[in-house]
Amino acid sequence: MRGSFRKICLASALLLLACSLSPAMAASDEDLQTLNMYYEADDLVVSATRNPKPLSQAAENITVITASEIEMMGAHTLVDVLATVPGIQASDMGGPGLFNEFSIQGANANHILVMLDGVTLNLLGTPFVDISGFPLQNIERIEIVKGPGSSSWGSALGAVINIVTKSPLEGKKVGGNLSFFGGEKWTRDSRGEVSGTVGPIGYYLYAGNLRSDGLRPNTAVDQNDIYAKLRWDLPKKGYLQFSIAYDRGSAREGDAPNPDYLYRFQRRNFFSTLAFNYPVTDKIDLDLSLRTTYKKFYDFRISAPLSGDEAHETSDGGSAKLTWREGTHFITNTLAAGVDYDHLDVEDFTFHVFSDKYGIFLNDTLAIGDVSGSLGIRYDRMRPVGDFYSPSLGIAWNPTDKITLRTYGAHGYSLPLICPVRNANATHQKVTTVQAGVETTHIPWLWLKTTFFINWLSDVQVYDSTLHKVIFRNQMKQGVEVEGKTVPVFYTYLSAGYTFIDSKDGESGATLRNIPRQLVKLGLHYDDERHSFRGSLLGRYGWLNSSASLNGKYSAIIWDLNLEKKLFTGHDTAIELFFSTHNLFNGAQYNYEFMQNARRWFEGGIKFEF
């Protein structure tokens, strides 16, 4: 397989070299302006180094998904959105709102940091982060950093998913929308949001409900979400912002192999933040934040004999950051330094653990002409796990305005489960990564991006069924990710992504099972210039490489058709109709026989904007 990997890398490199050297075939200014409708080199991202910088200066492999793109997907939860992103495997486990496993370039969910407004959603007492019920209506954008983000955020071995919520609507006292989707098996999604600004006070409010009787046997879902944000622009400069979120949901497990093992999962999540921003000078900003979270996860058998498991996690903490900006037109420097602190209270029916987590970070981005360098270092300490240093170094070079070359190296870690019963010898798992890639618009009417990556992992905790205990192994995961989009022609454009992942055991060299081997994402999109009619045909395929005993199937491409028609527009109001066909060709693609994907199903809806 090493030979296959080298061939794929060589073919991709030759293709990219041809693209970058392509003379006189550059797209016209009009073409590139159209291309910028969905790609802006000057778009600011904050997730890589905790301070805003243009994508053209980012050395990391970053994907940004906007609220407008989410609207065109026919998605219900964060899982549905991630399933469309190259490099990410998020399986349909039976319909929207169900607990879901996902991975990014082979890194599983408990190694991926997921944040909402700077609040960590990951659990430390159970080996996953539940994003299956996370709503979409209140999302402004999602930033995904593929690769370790430990030099900025701490425990983020595999990737960072940063969810940025909407800000209060400016220029209006009241605005918002109401929407309803209804589909088969009494599947319905009701949402509402209202936002505005009155004087120095801005507000944003959201509430939603997702319910279904189950598109597959034993997959009923019922979840409710509320979110609120208040922002006060201070009289002279700076602002004070408060946000609060509550999520309550329940879902069945799915097709259990034994009818005596039918489970229902329940969750309760509460998050609250208080943030303060103050420009100390024209060059220095001070950011302070406080946060509190409560997470409860409960699963119980709904068939005899009754049994269950329950976990609670409470976290209180805060962050302080100073950002310094200095520069001229040719040289700019942005330096961010700060501290994080969290006090954790983790409780299961078998244990109760208190812990404190400290972090100190420094991130610097220096841009000299067309070259930008990023240097990061972070020190973390958490008892009883210990301490860890996380360095990173990256360079982004823009030799022309149509090409960006990137290289990035980092050392990261992931905190273990701190349950002393399940994981008596717990230690943090570590990774060293090297990435290199290119992003170009040199080919006419095409944006193309390719990233090569190799990750060396150590102290990976693996359960040995022969020894009946957890052992520690080394692993290597390497691969290539290619994605591209075309310029719209008659308001129509194409998108595609391909990811190859070669995962090996570090000692034996054996291929690792249950890690995606190949991922393909396809899209046909239509969006007229007035957004009066939009549509998308989205396809996804994953060669999941699961163990034979799981009886998985992944021979079909799953296609979703989404259509949106604006019926009326005027006086700041609009009425839109939606229609979606999920799994258009009724394909089967699942990793576990007892958690199959939903077959073809239909839904429609209406949205009223004001």
PDB file of all heavy atoms in Angstrom, residues 52-83:
ATOM      1  N   PRO A  52      -7.478  36.850  14.688  1.00  0.00           N
ATOM      2  CA  PRO A  52      -7.935  36.884  13.288  1.00  0.00           C
ATOM      3  C   PRO A  52      -6.792  37.125  12.314  1.00  0.00           C
ATOM      4  O   PRO A  52      -5.959  38.009  12.519  1.00  0.00           O
ATOM      5  CB  PRO A  52      -8.933  38.059  13.284  1.00  0.00           C
ATOM      6  CG  PRO A  52      -9.327  38.255  14.705  1.00  0.00           C
ATOM      7  CD  PRO A  52      -8.124  37.887  15.511  1.00  0.00           C
ATOM      8  N   LYS A  53      -6.780  36.304  11.253  1.00  0.00           N
ATOM      9  CA  LYS A  53      -5.813  36.536  10.184  1.00  0.00           C
ATOM     10  C   LYS A  53      -6.407  36.027   8.886  1.00  0.00           C
ATOM     11  O   LYS A  53      -7.277  35.150   8.889  1.00  0.00           O
ATOM     12  CB  LYS A  53      -4.483  35.849  10.476  1.00  0.00           C
ATOM     13  CG  LYS A  53      -4.519  34.335  10.517  1.00  0.00           C
ATOM     14  CD  LYS A  53      -3.118  33.800  10.777  1.00  0.00           C
ATOM     15  CE  LYS A  53      -3.073  32.287  10.818  1.00  0.00           C
ATOM     16  NZ  LYS A  53      -1.709  31.778  11.094  1.00  0.00           N
ATOM     17  N   PRO A  54      -5.961  36.573   7.745  1.00  0.00           N
ATOM     18  CA  PRO A  54      -6.515  36.149   6.451  1.00  0.00           C
ATOM     19  C   PRO A  54      -6.186  34.685   6.162  1.00  0.00           C
ATOM     20  O   PRO A  54      -5.154  34.155   6.586  1.00  0.00           O
ATOM     21  CB  PRO A  54      -5.828  37.083   5.449  1.00  0.00           C
ATOM     22  CG  PRO A  54      -5.316  38.232   6.257  1.00  0.00           C
ATOM     23  CD  PRO A  54      -5.002  37.678   7.605  1.00  0.00           C
ATOM     24  N   LEU A  55      -7.075  34.036   5.415  1.00  0.00           N
ATOM     25  CA  LEU A  55      -6.817  32.655   4.997  1.00  0.00           C
ATOM     26  C   LEU A  55      -5.520  32.541   4.196  1.00  0.00           C
ATOM     27  O   LEU A  55      -4.840  31.521   4.241  1.00  0.00           O
ATOM     28  CB  LEU A  55      -7.985  32.152   4.159  1.00  0.00           C
ATOM     29  CG  LEU A  55      -9.150  31.497   4.911  1.00  0.00           C
ATOM     30  CD1 LEU A  55     -10.320  31.273   3.973  1.00  0.00           C
ATOM     31  CD2 LEU A  55      -8.714  30.201   5.558  1.00  0.00           C
ATOM     32  N   SER A  56      -5.186  33.602   3.462  1.00  0.00           N
ATOM     33  CA  SER A  56      -3.964  33.570   2.650  1.00  0.00           C
ATOM     34  C   SER A  56      -2.707  33.542   3.512  1.00  0.00           C
ATOM     35  O   SER A  56      -1.632  33.219   3.018  1.00  0.00           O
ATOM     36  CB  SER A  56      -3.927  34.785   1.718  1.00  0.00           C
ATOM     37  OG  SER A  56      -3.990  35.994   2.460  1.00  0.00           O
ATOM     38  N   GLN A  57      -2.813  33.882   4.814  1.00  0.00           N
ATOM     39  CA  GLN A  57      -1.668  33.829   5.720  1.00  0.00           C
ATOM     40  C   GLN A  57      -1.689  32.596   6.613  1.00  0.00           C
ATOM     41  O   GLN A  57      -0.797  32.414   7.445  1.00  0.00           O
ATOM     42  CB  GLN A  57      -1.638  35.086   6.599  1.00  0.00           C
ATOM     43  CG  GLN A  57      -1.379  36.374   5.844  1.00  0.00           C
ATOM     44  CD  GLN A  57      -1.301  37.587   6.765  1.00  0.00           C
ATOM     45  OE1 GLN A  57      -1.370  37.463   7.988  1.00  0.00           O
ATOM     46  NE2 GLN A  57      -1.152  38.762   6.188  1.00  0.00           N
ATOM     47  N   ALA A  58      -2.685  31.743   6.464  1.00  0.00           N
ATOM     48  CA  ALA A  58      -2.820  30.563   7.317  1.00  0.00           C
ATOM     49  C   ALA A  58      -2.012  29.410   6.748  1.00  0.00           C
ATOM     50  O   ALA A  58      -2.216  29.007   5.602  1.00  0.00           O
ATOM     51  CB  ALA A  58      -4.281  30.176   7.456  1.00  0.00           C
ATOM     52  N   ALA A  59      -1.101  28.871   7.546  1.00  0.00           N
ATOM     53  CA  ALA A  59      -0.315  27.718   7.110  1.00  0.00           C
ATOM     54  C   ALA A  59      -1.071  26.413   7.309  1.00  0.00           C
ATOM     55  O   ALA A  59      -0.736  25.403   6.694  1.00  0.00           O
ATOM     56  CB  ALA A  59       1.006  27.679   7.876  1.00  0.00           C
ATOM     57  N   GLU A  60      -2.080  26.430   8.159  1.00  0.00           N
ATOM     58  CA  GLU A  60      -2.842  25.231   8.460  1.00  0.00           C
ATOM     59  C   GLU A  60      -3.857  24.922   7.351  1.00  0.00           C
ATOM     60  O   GLU A  60      -4.235  25.795   6.573  1.00  0.00           O
ATOM     61  CB  GLU A  60      -3.581  25.398   9.789  1.00  0.00           C
ATOM     62  CG  GLU A  60      -2.683  25.654  10.979  1.00  0.00           C
ATOM     63  CD  GLU A  60      -2.260  27.106  11.116  1.00  0.00           C
ATOM     64  OE1 GLU A  60      -2.668  27.942  10.284  1.00  0.00           O
ATOM     65  OE2 GLU A  60      -1.520  27.412  12.071  1.00  0.00           O
ATOM     66  N   ASN A  61      -4.291  23.674   7.311  1.00  0.00           N
ATOM     67  CA  ASN A  61      -5.341  23.249   6.386  1.00  0.00           C
ATOM     68  C   ASN A  61      -6.683  23.568   7.026  1.00  0.00           C
ATOM     69  O   ASN A  61      -7.145  22.880   7.941  1.00  0.00           O
ATOM     70  CB  ASN A  61      -5.211  21.749   6.116  1.00  0.00           C
ATOM     71  CG  ASN A  61      -6.270  21.236   5.144  1.00  0.00           C
ATOM     72  OD1 ASN A  61      -6.993  22.013   4.518  1.00  0.00           O
ATOM     73  ND2 ASN A  61      -6.354  19.927   5.021  1.00  0.00           N
ATOM     74  N   ILE A  62      -7.348  24.624   6.549  1.00  0.00           N
ATOM     75  CA  ILE A  62      -8.561  25.144   7.180  1.00  0.00           C
ATOM     76  C   ILE A  62      -9.709  25.125   6.180  1.00  0.00           C
ATOM     77  O   ILE A  62      -9.548  25.517   5.023  1.00  0.00           O
ATOM     78  CB  ILE A  62      -8.348  26.583   7.702  1.00  0.00           C
ATOM     79  CG1 ILE A  62      -7.213  26.608   8.739  1.00  0.00           C
ATOM     80  CG2 ILE A  62      -9.627  27.128   8.326  1.00  0.00           C
ATOM     81  CD1 ILE A  62      -6.898  28.000   9.256  1.00  0.00           C
ATOM     82  N   THR A  63     -10.863  24.683   6.643  1.00  0.00           N
ATOM     83  CA  THR A  63     -12.107  24.758   5.882  1.00  0.00           C
ATOM     84  C   THR A  63     -13.091  25.633   6.640  1.00  0.00           C
ATOM     85  O   THR A  63     -13.262  25.476   7.848  1.00  0.00           O
ATOM     86  CB  THR A  63     -12.723  23.365   5.686  1.00  0.00           C
ATOM     87  OG1 THR A  63     -11.824  22.557   4.907  1.00  0.00           O
ATOM     88  CG2 THR A  63     -14.060  23.458   4.962  1.00  0.00           C
ATOM     89  N   VAL A  64     -13.717  26.572   5.930  1.00  0.00           N
ATOM     90  CA  VAL A  64     -14.700  27.471   6.523  1.00  0.00           C
ATOM     91  C   VAL A  64     -16.051  27.212   5.864  1.00  0.00           C
ATOM     92  O   VAL A  64     -16.157  27.192   4.633  1.00  0.00           O
ATOM     93  CB  VAL A  64     -14.303  28.950   6.353  1.00  0.00           C
ATOM     94  CG1 VAL A  64     -15.364  29.865   6.962  1.00  0.00           C
ATOM     95  CG2 VAL A  64     -12.944  29.218   6.999  1.00  0.00           C
ATOM     96  N   ILE A  65     -17.084  27.006   6.675  1.00  0.00           N
ATOM     97  CA  ILE A  65     -18.441  26.790   6.184  1.00  0.00           C
ATOM     98  C   ILE A  65     -19.307  27.928   6.705  1.00  0.00           C
ATOM     99  O   ILE A  65     -19.376  28.158   7.916  1.00  0.00           O
ATOM    100  CB  ILE A  65     -18.998  25.441   6.672  1.00  0.00           C
ATOM    101  CG1 ILE A  65     -18.033  24.315   6.316  1.00  0.00           C
ATOM    102  CG2 ILE A  65     -20.369  25.175   6.065  1.00  0.00           C
ATOM    103  CD1 ILE A  65     -18.355  23.014   7.002  1.00  0.00           C
ATOM    104  N   THR A  66     -19.968  28.639   5.807  1.00  0.00           N
ATOM    105  CA  THR A  66     -20.758  29.801   6.191  1.00  0.00           C
ATOM    106  C   THR A  66     -22.228  29.431   6.381  1.00  0.00           C
ATOM    107  O   THR A  66     -22.687  28.365   5.964  1.00  0.00           O
ATOM    108  CB  THR A  66     -20.641  30.896   5.127  1.00  0.00           C
ATOM    109  OG1 THR A  66     -21.236  30.420   3.898  1.00  0.00           O
ATOM    110  CG2 THR A  66     -19.182  31.256   4.865  1.00  0.00           C
ATOM    111  N   ALA A  67     -22.970  30.370   6.995  1.00  0.00           N
ATOM    112  CA  ALA A  67     -24.402  30.150   7.203  1.00  0.00           C
ATOM    113  C   ALA A  67     -25.136  29.997   5.877  1.00  0.00           C
ATOM    114  O   ALA A  67     -26.073  29.190   5.765  1.00  0.00           O
ATOM    115  CB  ALA A  67     -24.984  31.313   8.010  1.00  0.00           C
ATOM    116  N   SER A  68     -24.717  30.743   4.853  1.00  0.00           N
ATOM    117  CA  SER A  68     -25.359  30.642   3.549  1.00  0.00           C
ATOM    118  C   SER A  68     -25.160  29.261   2.938  1.00  0.00           C
ATOM    119  O   SER A  68     -26.082  28.700   2.327  1.00  0.00           O
ATOM    120  CB  SER A  68     -24.801  31.720   2.610  1.00  0.00           C
ATOM    121  OG  SER A  68     -25.355  31.609   1.317  1.00  0.00           O
ATOM    122  N   GLU A  69     -23.965  28.695   3.094  1.00  0.00           N
ATOM    123  CA  GLU A  69     -23.710  27.349   2.571  1.00  0.00           C
ATOM    124  C   GLU A  69     -24.527  26.308   3.318  1.00  0.00           C
ATOM    125  O   GLU A  69     -25.025  25.349   2.726  1.00  0.00           O
ATOM    126  CB  GLU A  69     -22.213  27.037   2.681  1.00  0.00           C
ATOM    127  CG  GLU A  69     -21.352  27.863   1.756  1.00  0.00           C
ATOM    128  CD  GLU A  69     -19.871  27.672   2.002  1.00  0.00           C
ATOM    129  OE1 GLU A  69     -19.474  27.546   3.171  1.00  0.00           O
ATOM    130  OE2 GLU A  69     -19.096  27.638   1.026  1.00  0.00           O
ATOM    131  N   ILE A  70     -24.685  26.482   4.623  1.00  0.00           N
ATOM    132  CA  ILE A  70     -25.466  25.545   5.416  1.00  0.00           C
ATOM    133  C   ILE A  70     -26.921  25.529   4.955  1.00  0.00           C
ATOM    134  O   ILE A  70     -27.568  24.483   4.890  1.00  0.00           O
ATOM    135  CB  ILE A  70     -25.361  25.896   6.915  1.00  0.00           C
ATOM    136  CG1 ILE A  70     -23.936  25.647   7.415  1.00  0.00           C
ATOM    137  CG2 ILE A  70     -26.353  25.079   7.739  1.00  0.00           C
ATOM    138  CD1 ILE A  70     -23.693  26.094   8.837  1.00  0.00           C
ATOM    139  N   GLU A  71     -27.458  26.704   4.614  1.00  0.00           N
ATOM    140  CA  GLU A  71     -28.850  26.801   4.173  1.00  0.00           C
ATOM    141  C   GLU A  71     -29.121  25.970   2.927  1.00  0.00           C
ATOM    142  O   GLU A  71     -30.237  25.495   2.715  1.00  0.00           O
ATOM    143  CB  GLU A  71     -29.213  28.260   3.907  1.00  0.00           C
ATOM    144  CG  GLU A  71     -29.360  29.102   5.164  1.00  0.00           C
ATOM    145  CD  GLU A  71     -29.731  30.531   4.841  1.00  0.00           C
ATOM    146  OE1 GLU A  71     -29.871  30.845   3.627  1.00  0.00           O
ATOM    147  OE2 GLU A  71     -29.888  31.332   5.772  1.00  0.00           O
ATOM    148  N   MET A  72     -28.098  25.781   2.071  1.00  0.00           N
ATOM    149  CA  MET A  72     -28.286  25.071   0.811  1.00  0.00           C
ATOM    150  C   MET A  72     -28.111  23.560   0.947  1.00  0.00           C
ATOM    151  O   MET A  72     -28.211  22.834  -0.044  1.00  0.00           O
ATOM    152  CB  MET A  72     -27.300  25.602  -0.237  1.00  0.00           C
ATOM    153  CG  MET A  72     -27.530  27.053  -0.633  1.00  0.00           C
ATOM    154  SD  MET A  72     -26.362  27.607  -1.906  1.00  0.00           S
ATOM    155  CE  MET A  72     -26.779  26.534  -3.273  1.00  0.00           C
ATOM    156  N   MET A  73     -27.854  23.066   2.158  1.00  0.00           N
ATOM    157  CA  MET A  73     -27.550  21.647   2.339  1.00  0.00           C
ATOM    158  C   MET A  73     -28.753  20.798   2.729  1.00  0.00           C
ATOM    159  O   MET A  73     -28.655  19.570   2.716  1.00  0.00           O
ATOM    160  CB  MET A  73     -26.472  21.483   3.415  1.00  0.00           C
ATOM    161  CG  MET A  73     -25.123  22.053   3.053  1.00  0.00           C
ATOM    162  SD  MET A  73     -23.950  21.831   4.410  1.00  0.00           S
ATOM    163  CE  MET A  73     -22.502  22.661   3.729  1.00  0.00           C
ATOM    164  N   GLY A  74     -29.852  21.412   3.136  1.00  0.00           N
ATOM    165  CA  GLY A  74     -30.961  20.635   3.658  1.00  0.00           C
ATOM    166  C   GLY A  74     -30.590  19.916   4.937  1.00  0.00           C
ATOM    167  O   GLY A  74     -31.103  18.833   5.238  1.00  0.00           O
ATOM    168  N   ALA A  75     -29.683  20.516   5.729  1.00  0.00           N
ATOM    169  CA  ALA A  75     -29.151  19.887   6.935  1.00  0.00           C
ATOM    170  C   ALA A  75     -30.021  20.209   8.143  1.00  0.00           C
ATOM    171  O   ALA A  75     -30.674  21.248   8.207  1.00  0.00           O
ATOM    172  CB  ALA A  75     -27.719  20.357   7.181  1.00  0.00           C
ATOM    173  N   HIS A  76     -29.996  19.299   9.126  1.00  0.00           N
ATOM    174  CA  HIS A  76     -30.728  19.489  10.380  1.00  0.00           C
ATOM    175  C   HIS A  76     -29.813  19.689  11.573  1.00  0.00           C
ATOM    176  O   HIS A  76     -30.158  20.426  12.498  1.00  0.00           O
ATOM    177  CB  HIS A  76     -31.655  18.302  10.632  1.00  0.00           C
ATOM    178  CG  HIS A  76     -32.787  18.203   9.669  1.00  0.00           C
ATOM    179  ND1 HIS A  76     -33.942  18.943   9.776  1.00  0.00           N
ATOM    180  CD2 HIS A  76     -32.941  17.446   8.552  1.00  0.00           C
ATOM    181  CE1 HIS A  76     -34.757  18.653   8.784  1.00  0.00           C
ATOM    182  NE2 HIS A  76     -34.175  17.747   8.025  1.00  0.00           N
ATOM    183  N   THR A  77     -28.672  19.016  11.584  1.00  0.00           N
ATOM    184  CA  THR A  77     -27.747  19.124  12.705  1.00  0.00           C
ATOM    185  C   THR A  77     -26.327  19.274  12.169  1.00  0.00           C
ATOM    186  O   THR A  77     -26.069  19.163  10.963  1.00  0.00           O
ATOM    187  CB  THR A  77     -27.819  17.896  13.630  1.00  0.00           C
ATOM    188  OG1 THR A  77     -27.283  16.757  12.940  1.00  0.00           O
ATOM    189  CG2 THR A  77     -29.259  17.613  14.046  1.00  0.00           C
ATOM    190  N   LEU A  78     -25.396  19.492  13.090  1.00  0.00           N
ATOM    191  CA  LEU A  78     -23.999  19.670  12.718  1.00  0.00           C
ATOM    192  C   LEU A  78     -23.448  18.444  12.002  1.00  0.00           C
ATOM    193  O   LEU A  78     -22.591  18.561  11.123  1.00  0.00           O
ATOM    194  CB  LEU A  78     -23.183  19.979  13.976  1.00  0.00           C
ATOM    195  CG  LEU A  78     -21.697  20.269  13.792  1.00  0.00           C
ATOM    196  CD1 LEU A  78     -21.483  21.478  12.897  1.00  0.00           C
ATOM    197  CD2 LEU A  78     -21.034  20.484  15.154  1.00  0.00           C
ATOM    198  N   VAL A  79     -23.927  17.261  12.349  1.00  0.00           N
ATOM    199  CA  VAL A  79     -23.469  16.033  11.687  1.00  0.00           C
ATOM    200  C   VAL A  79     -23.730  16.099  10.188  1.00  0.00           C
ATOM    201  O   VAL A  79     -22.875  15.728   9.374  1.00  0.00           O
ATOM    202  CB  VAL A  79     -24.167  14.806  12.294  1.00  0.00           C
ATOM    203  CG1 VAL A  79     -23.846  13.557  11.492  1.00  0.00           C
ATOM    204  CG2 VAL A  79     -23.751  14.612  13.736  1.00  0.00           C
ATOM    205  N   ASP A  80     -24.918  16.575   9.802  1.00  0.00           N
ATOM    206  CA  ASP A  80     -25.266  16.653   8.382  1.00  0.00           C
ATOM    207  C   ASP A  80     -24.323  17.581   7.621  1.00  0.00           C
ATOM    208  O   ASP A  80     -24.001  17.340   6.452  1.00  0.00           O
ATOM    209  CB  ASP A  80     -26.705  17.146   8.223  1.00  0.00           C
ATOM    210  CG  ASP A  80     -27.704  16.261   8.945  1.00  0.00           C
ATOM    211  OD1 ASP A  80     -27.456  15.055   9.027  1.00  0.00           O
ATOM    212  OD2 ASP A  80     -28.723  16.788   9.419  1.00  0.00           O
ATOM    213  N   VAL A  81     -23.880  18.646   8.270  1.00  0.00           N
ATOM    214  CA  VAL A  81     -22.955  19.589   7.627  1.00  0.00           C
ATOM    215  C   VAL A  81     -21.579  18.966   7.476  1.00  0.00           C
ATOM    216  O   VAL A  81     -20.962  19.018   6.405  1.00  0.00           O
ATOM    217  CB  VAL A  81     -22.882  20.898   8.429  1.00  0.00           C
ATOM    218  CG1 VAL A  81     -21.846  21.841   7.825  1.00  0.00           C
ATOM    219  CG2 VAL A  81     -24.244  21.575   8.477  1.00  0.00           C
ATOM    220  N   LEU A  82     -21.067  18.374   8.543  1.00  0.00           N
ATOM    221  CA  LEU A  82     -19.728  17.788   8.493  1.00  0.00           C
ATOM    222  C   LEU A  82     -19.632  16.677   7.460  1.00  0.00           C
ATOM    223  O   LEU A  82     -18.570  16.451   6.874  1.00  0.00           O
ATOM    224  CB  LEU A  82     -19.344  17.252   9.867  1.00  0.00           C
ATOM    225  CG  LEU A  82     -19.202  18.285  10.985  1.00  0.00           C
ATOM    226  CD1 LEU A  82     -18.798  17.610  12.287  1.00  0.00           C
ATOM    227  CD2 LEU A  82     -18.210  19.371  10.623  1.00  0.00           C
ATOM    228  N   ALA A  83     -20.737  15.975   7.215  1.00  0.00           N
ATOM    229  CA  ALA A  83     -20.729  14.877   6.250  1.00  0.00           C
ATOM    230  C   ALA A  83     -20.411  15.345   4.837  1.00  0.00           C
ATOM    231  O   ALA A  83     -20.021  14.531   3.991  1.00  0.00           O
ATOM    232  CB  ALA A  83     -22.075  14.156   6.263  1.00  0.00           C
TER     233      ALA A  83
END
